[in-house]
Amino acid sequence: MKIKNNNTVMIVVICSVIVVAFTVAAIMFANGRNTDDAEGFEGPLPERYVGSWELPGDSHVLQSPRTTDIAEDNAIADENDFGVTMTYGVYSNNRVGTINNPTYKMEENCDAAAMDEQGMQSNGIMQEFRENAAITKIEIYNEDGSTLCDTVFIIDGEYLIYFGTGNYVFCAVKLDAVG
């Protein structure tokens, strides 16, 4: 077959590039990953963070709010009764309530400044943990991903730092499954 003009060749090349671009975009969308940010993603929560998180027996407030209408001891008692649940189908805590079918946006290896951006005082909070602790930021959105509902931080994959009752900052640990 002999091509009669260069316009036909140009159209074939452009169409091929468009098909490849749409294929790559479809694969990235299906995976829920952004190749520009290998350490972050938006989509379902990784299995290692799924479950119930509760205050340990020796818990204390990591940071007090400037103003609140609830005493620290009462806030701790409320958090002991409620905790935080992060699953594929539900996110809940005492402060924000329940979000059904949440969308999670996660960023691993954050700087402690990410806590400061959320209103937490990272310098005081991070004194509780080892130097150079790994910080993961998880933003929780509503079902269609249009509204940010809460932001939590996980330290070294073990400790959940979050705003709880009365906007006190707490540290929870994941409950082990029994059975």
Side-chain angles (χ1 to χ4, degrees):
M1 178 170 112
K2 190 172 186 180
I3 299 175
K4 294 186 179 179
N5 69 35
N6 287 336
N7 288 340
T8 305
V9 172
M10 189 61 110
I11 291 172
V12 169
V13 169
I14 290 172
C15 288
S16 297
V17 169
I18 290 172
V19 168
V20 169
F22 277 118
T23 302
V24 169
I27 291 169
M28 287 173 42
F29 180 75
N31 288 337
R33 299 193 183 273
N34 178 349
T35 57
D36 295 332
D37 183 11
E39 296 178 346
F41 81 96
E42 185 173 330
L45 192 63
E47 183 67 32
R48 66 186 177 272
Y49 300 137
V50 171
S52 296
W53 298 74
E54 292 191 4
L55 300 182
D58 62 348
S59 65
H60 60 282
V61 167
L62 294 179
Q63 177 187 317
S64 298
R66 290 181 188 211
T67 61
T68 186
D69 59 353
I70 187 169
E72 189 173 299
D73 289 342
N74 292 341
I76 291 172
D78 283 355
E79 289 303 315
N80 278 326
D81 288 343
F82 203 87
V84 176
T85 301
M86 289 197 308
T87 68
Y88 302 116
V90 172
Y91 171 83
S92 68
N93 75 20
N94 200 30
R95 185 176 62 88
V96 300
T98 299
I99 295 134
N100 292 311
N101 301 314
T103 298
Y104 296 97
K105 183 177 179 186
M106 186 174 84
E107 183 181 345
E108 294 182 302
N109 300 317
C110 291
D111 189 288
M115 290 180 172
D116 297 323
E117 292 169 3
Q118 296 301 315
M120 296 179 181
Q121 297 170 350
S122 65
N123 57 349
I125 293 170
M126 293 309 294
Q127 289 175 356
E128 301 271 337
F129 304 98
R130 69 177 178 82
E131 189 175 327
N132 299 321
I135 302 172
T136 299
K137 175 182 172 182
I138 300 176
E139 294 177 327
I140 299 94
Y141 291 84
N142 62 345
E143 183 172 3
D144 67 8
S146 63
T147 304
L148 177 63
C149 301
D150 204 6
T151 302
V152 299
F153 296 89
I154 297 183
I155 309 297
D156 289 335
E158 296 180 46
Y159 306 100
L160 178 74
I161 308 300
Y162 69 102
F163 280 112
T165 303
N167 281 337
Y168 288 93
V169 176
F170 295 98
C171 175
V173 294
K174 189 174 174 190
L175 294 177
D176 291 326
V178 179

